Structures are given as C-alpha cells and as structure tokens.
Amino acid sequence: SQQGEEDPQALSIQEGENATMNCSYKTSINNLQWYRQNSGRGLVHLILIRSNEREKHSGRLRVTLDTSKKSSSLLITASRAADTASYFCATATSGSRLTFGEGTQLTVNP
Amino acid sequence: GAVVSQHPSRVICKSGTSVKIECRSLDFQATTMFWYRQFPKQSLMLMATSNEGSKATYEQGVEKDKFLINHASLTLSTLTVTSAHPEDSSFYICSAAAGTGDPNTIYFGEGSWLTVV
C-alpha cells in the first residue's frame, strides 16, 4: 500500500519558474527521499532528508520535512525543460525498504 | 557510480508462458534487492524484498507462487513471472541497497517492460 499522497498530481510551468511538489505520509519515518523518473525509465535518486532534518539543499533542489505534519516538499528553482519528469517521494521506516507516494508529473514548457 | 542493470529491458511473451527478469548490481554487492511493479501513470508498488541466500519476503497481496524471486548471489536477483497473463503486463523495476549503513544508498535499475499477449 502507498504511504501517502503527493500533490499536485500534475504541474505545468514555464521554463525559469519554480516548481513545488508536496508529499504527505502516514507513519513515522527514518528518512524521506525524492526520486525522479523520466517516462518509461528507472528512478534517479535526487535527495535524502533524515527525520531529524528540516531542510536540505542540492543544487537547484530544496527539500523540507515537517515530521509533525508528516509532510515534505520539493522545490525546483529556475526550472528547465529537461526537468520534465515524474517526481516521487519515498519514505523509509527502517533499512532500505521504500514506500512511494503517488507522484507528481511535472511539465516544464520551453 | 554504482549501477544496477536489468535485463531484458522489454519482453513480449505469450499468455501462459513464464518469463524471467534479471537484476544485477554491477560494481557492488547487494545483500538486499527489491522488486517493484508500476502501471502506466501510477506509482511504484513494492512486490517483494529479495535477500541473498534466503527466501524473499512478499508484500501483502502478491502471489509468491506467481512471482518467483531468487537471490542466488550478492549481485543477482531474478524475478520469474509464471504462467503470465495479460493483466501481468507492467513495468517491473528492481533496486539494490549498497552497504549496510542506515540509510543505505539505493540504486534502481532501468526497469523491464513486460507485455503478455
């Protein structure tokens, strides 16, 4: 069963704009991870945030985690057409077993 | 960086036959591998956890006799879909955990498209 939900399900923006995706989960977690998936391809790991962290940055990516609300957000700044993909959050309660959210389909229009 | 390879990337099989998908960790040893299933425009559903040298742990609702998992070595796990039916058509993705730290670094394969006709 899925851990939670992501919103929006689909997001369409113009190049240069920022994209924000949200993820909610239901149980206590060890860490939360964000992945990217191009259509019909495997997943690429973007960033991991531990349960005791509140914010993390990696290049144009910014991830926040609010364990009291059981939610996380992924912000992609200055988006590019190449950022077009599906983005999934995944939670880990222990070890490497991940439970994925429903995903957000991001379209960045040139 | 670490690479996880899946083979075949695409396979078409006839209804009633069995098909095997391989997942290999190319430059690291993976004591644990995971198999996911993904329908078009949907999320990944964990099917089972594959542990080297022991039986796989299946998620609730996944038929272990239909989806046979073997993890015979530290670099190879296989998923065999037995007596495949059209409803088994899906995208199957494996992942492998590198190391024993917490959290582990997890690498995903490129996935395998299965079409049952």
Side-chain angles (χ1 to χ4, degrees), chain B residues 11-24:
Chain B
V11 59
I12 301 173
C13 71
K14 292 185 177 181
S15 188
T17 61
S18 296
V19 62
K20 181 185 289 187
I21 301 170
E22 294 185 346
C23 178
R24 293 182 184 273

Side-chain angles (χ1 to χ4, degrees), chain B:
Chain B
V3 176
V4 172
S5 172
Q6 269 187 252
H7 178 80
S9 58
R10 291 182 178 273
V11 59
I12 301 173
C13 71
K14 292 185 177 181
S15 188
T17 61
S18 296
V19 62
K20 181 185 289 187
I21 301 170
E22 294 185 346
C23 178
R24 293 182 184 273
S25 56
L26 297 185
D27 55 1
F28 66 97
Q29 293 184 329
T31 54
T32 306
M33 292 184 174
F34 301 88
W35 287 96
Y36 295 84
R37 181 175 183 176
Q38 185 181 31
F39 291 108
K41 299 189 185 301
Q42 294 189 21
S43 188
L44 282 75
M45 296 291 293
L46 180 64
M47 299 174 66
T49 302
S50 171
N51 298 296
E52 188 267 337
S54 64
K55 292 183 179 181
T57 303
Y58 289 83
E59 295 298 305
Q60 192 173 7
V62 177
E63 299 176 59
K64 62 181 180 181
D65 294 330
K66 180 167 185 60
F67 299 100
L68 299 179
I69 292 173
N70 183 279
H71 195 153
S73 77
L74 286 171
T75 58
L76 174 65
S77 176
T78 60
L79 167 67
T80 301
V81 183
T82 62
S83 188
H85 291 280
E87 56 264 32
D88 298 324
S89 298
S90 187
F91 189 54
Y92 293 88
I93 310 176
C94 71
S95 69
T100 57
D102 188 13
N104 284 337
T105 302
I106 302 168
Y107 300 94
F108 280 82
E110 282 294 305
S112 299
W113 284 100
L114 169 63
T115 302
V116 184
V117 297

Side-chain angles (χ1 to χ4, degrees), chain A residues 25-60:
Chain A
Y25 57 93
K26 298 175 181 175
T27 64
S28 296
I29 62 172
N30 185 314
N31 63 75
L32 185 145
Q33 304 178 33
W34 284 89
Y35 287 85
R36 168 195 167 120
Q37 183 183 36
N38 288 342
S39 181
R41 304 293 299 275
L43 273 72
V44 175
H45 180 262
L46 296 177
I47 197 164
L48 179 152
I49 186 166
R50 297 173 189 258
S51 61
N52 61 354
E53 297 176 311
R54 292 297 168 258
E55 187 171 313
K56 207 163 183 180
H57 297 254
S58 176
R60 292 185 296 116

